[in-house]
Amino acid sequence: MIKLHALFGPEDAPGQSGTFRLFPRRGRDRWLLETRFRRPWHLETWPQASRRARIIYCVAQLLGMLGIQLPSRRVTVSISNGSLYASLRVRFEALGIFLGTPGPNRKVVIFAKDKDRSWFIKVPINDKTRALAKSEGATLEALAADESLAPLVPRCHWIEDALAVEDVRASGARFAPLDQDEVMRVHQLLFARSRTEVPFAELIKGWTAQDVAAQPHPHPATAAKIAPARDAAYRFVATIPAACPVECYEAHGDFTRWNVLRARDGSARIIDWELIGQRPKFFDPFHYVVSQSILVSRMPADEILLQALRMAEGVVDSHVLELYFGAYLASQVFFYCQLFEAQEILDMQAYWQLETWSQLLDTLVKRQSTLNLLPYTP
């Protein structure tokens, strides 16, 4: 299990011990739940963005009501006096801990419920995730002050060094797909708020700034998956003129089915703003389609391309739309290749992404070459 000093405090500090279930019983440690809880509160941190996930969630809830937990093992944890978890224990009726996804952006997320409300409390465990939490908190505060965007974002507040984000399900929002019009409406609101224009060469320099110092992944098989995706991204950007102006905006950055809920009226409720940043136009609508298609539906690349381009069809010329889709894919490849190279172990889903991104970019390269555009030269 990862070190959790940020949550439980130093192991040698005065305090008390707590008995937890650690899920799953075998394999990578993912959740912690105190043995005193009958219901599987830890699964509240698991978005039910697919049918399979919803079925597992419902089965686990039913078993929990019968006093039966999913396979786990018991561990004893030292909880120091004055630690974050000690204060949360007093403040909330129910707690469940998600141990986060391995990698440099790893954080711990606690589901905390009291009588009337519930919160997802993001606990940074390193400097990187501390900076992401501060960025997300500032973003939520800024968007809450914007009359048009305030209804889309959850409330937040700080509990010591942790960011507590409102559980929007309490107001009736649920994990369900948005229709295309709502996805584009959200995009237009964010785009109108922060539109800018950037030369393509400037974007690429930002995306690839760390590539020079990047070291191949220590596991040859993983490195062999990362390299083709990065090569495909470079081949695509080589088809676009360096001075080509690209419309950009402050995009959500991870606009997915598991980060976007649907309210009763069909409008969006958007969570997890930690990756907000300057991205090419249509980044969020493209990501909404591509992330689900690769990670959940396992859709072939040619079908993903059709679905993604259909999202903004008729808004701009088809060739321009393909340029923006390629820019979305290239920016994802450069960002995640750097992230994956810093991770010791990758999930199978990471390989799915790398392979599909490569296929999509190679298809776009063939299409872009028919436009006789001047190449990008770094």
Side-chain angles (χ1 to χ4, degrees), residues 6 12 59 79 83 88 109 135 154 190 260-261 265 268 282 295 299 304 341 358:
D12 57 354
V59 169
I79 305 170
S83 67
L88 295 177
V109 180
S135 173
L190 291 172
V260 182
L261 291 81
D265 63 0
F282 305 123
L295 300 177
M299 195 176 291
I304 295 174
E341 282 166 339
S358 297

Side-chain angles (χ1 to χ4, degrees), residues 233-351:
Y234 274 111
R235 282 195 297 274
F236 172 79
V237 300
T239 69
I240 310 301
C244 178
V246 179
E247 290 185 287
C248 296
Y249 71 113
E250 290 292 306
H252 176 277
D254 198 15
F255 195 82
T256 60
R257 291 269 190 97
W258 43 95
N259 285 335
V260 182
L261 291 81
R262 189 175 68 193
R264 290 193 179 98
D265 63 0
S267 61
R269 298 295 181 269
I270 310 168
I271 60 176
D272 282 355
W273 288 83
E274 64 183 28
L275 293 183
I276 189 170
Q278 187 186 72
R279 306 292 204 294
K281 190 177 183 179
F282 305 123
F283 184 98
D284 286 337
F286 287 147
H287 193 58
Y288 190 76
V289 171
V290 174
S291 58
Q292 184 77 10
S293 299
I294 295 177
L295 300 177
V296 179
S297 304
R298 293 293 290 123
M299 195 176 291
D302 55 348
E303 291 184 29
I304 295 174
L305 179 61
L306 290 174
Q307 283 201 11
L309 296 179
R310 194 176 297 130
M311 181 64 70
E313 191 175 26
V315 179
V316 296
D317 178 87
S318 60
H319 291 310
V320 175
L321 189 57
E322 289 180 15
L323 183 152
Y324 279 107
F325 186 50
Y328 155 75
L329 292 168
S331 66
Q332 287 289 87
V333 167
F334 290 129
F335 176 79
Y336 280 99
C337 282
Q338 293 164 9
L339 197 65
F340 292 159
E341 282 166 339
Q343 288 183 217
E344 183 178 353
I345 300 174
L346 299 187
D347 289 326
M348 183 57 65
Q349 290 179 319
Y351 298 134

Side-chain angles (χ1 to χ4, degrees), residues 134-145:
K134 289 180 179 178
S135 173
E136 181 173 12
T139 295
L140 291 174
E141 291 173 1
L143 294 176

Side-chain angles (χ1 to χ4, degrees), residues 63-74:
L63 291 174
M65 291 171 64
L66 298 173
I68 303 171
Q69 293 288 345
L70 295 174
S72 61
R73 65 183 189 273
R74 293 197 175 206

